[in-house]
Amino acid sequence: MLKPLSTADLRQSKPDRHSFARIRRMDICVLLDSLTSAHNVGAIFRLCDAALVSRLYLCGGTPAPPSLKINRGSRRCWKWVPWEHCEDAALVVQELKSQGIKIVSVELADTSRLYHEADLSGPACLILGNETSGVSPRLLELSDLIVRLPMLGMGNSINVSTAASVVLYESLRQSLQGTCVSTAQEV
């Protein structure tokens, strides 16, 4: 009879904590533009850990650790994700662009393309915006690409952490396509 893997089974395939610090990370980073919900931030930390993002930027008023809500939402994965808080998201984006990193905003805009029809492979920075107002106009101007998820129902948007998972995993898929990368590789 088939059964799900236990936590012990899953842990056997993981490196120890010391080795984990040396694992080669993906060429993808994520920038959160003034999110307000610590629960969303926690869920995105957990997602960034799962996808081995290179860095998570918490910009503007985005909540940052230590936070009980982030700890709960991330299931304590926040401690495994390289992150930094930066007040000015535009400065971060300009610095990333100067390093040749593609800037991709996830937003419903008149120039946005469907996420799965765009080149999201790394090196790339995915920008996710505020739960109410979205990605700021300044960051949209600085973006190399704006992508959207199809919204076929009556609603105009989905939760930012849900959008993050869809677009981040598509970026991960595209980045790994045609390669054989082990998540346990060391630098």
Side-chain angles (χ1 to χ4, degrees):
M1 176 163 72
L2 295 177
K3 65 177 184 139
L5 293 174
S6 68
T7 300
D9 294 333
L10 293 169
R11 289 238 180 260
Q12 286 180 358
S13 66
K14 304 280 182 181
D16 62 47
R17 293 169 191 237
H18 178 70
S19 299
F20 184 74
R22 295 190 314 268
I23 287 179
R24 181 173 167 235
R25 292 187 164 272
M26 297 306 301
D27 225 358
I28 303 165
C29 62
V30 174
L31 185 146
L32 303 182
D33 180 23
S34 298
L35 268 62
T36 58
S37 167
H39 289 293
N40 282 335
V41 174
I44 293 170
F45 261 110
R46 189 172 182 189
L47 175 64
C48 288
D49 173 60
L52 279 176
V53 300
S54 59
R55 183 159 303 274
L56 175 60
Y57 296 95
L58 309 174
C59 297
T62 302
S67 160
L68 183 60
K69 289 180 181 178
I70 290 174
N71 198 37
R72 284 183 185 155
S74 73
R75 304 269 316 231
R76 293 182 289 289
C77 287
W78 68 268
K79 61 188 173 184
W80 305 114
V81 177
W83 66 274
E84 63 185 273
H85 183 267
C86 305
E87 196 56 42
D88 191 338
L91 289 177
V92 174
V93 169
Q94 289 167 336
E95 174 61 27
L96 294 171
K97 282 180 77 97
S98 76
Q99 297 171 22
I101 295 173
K102 177 179 18 189
I103 307 301
V104 180
S105 284
V106 181
E107 186 61 76
L108 295 168
D110 57 352
T111 59
S112 61
R113 299 174 53 195
L114 288 171
Y115 77 98
H116 62 275
E117 295 176 353
D119 178 7
L120 303 178
S121 60
C125 176
L126 305 178
I127 299 177
L128 297 143
N130 177 277
E131 293 90 342
T132 303
S133 57
V135 176
S136 68
R138 176 69 177 128
L139 294 185
L140 290 174
E141 284 177 22
L142 291 169
S143 297
D144 298 309
L145 182 61
I146 303 171
V147 299
R148 71 180 186 281
L149 279 71
M151 296 301 303
L152 305 177
M154 291 298 288
N156 293 325
S157 66
I158 60 174
N159 181 277
V160 66
S161 64
T162 302
S165 66
V166 172
V167 177
L168 180 55
Y169 268 90
E170 176 62 14
S171 179
L172 185 63
R173 184 192 69 77
Q174 289 180 20
S175 294
L176 294 174
Q177 194 170 26
T179 64
C180 184
V181 176
S182 167
T183 57
Q185 281 184 330
E186 293 185 21
V187 196

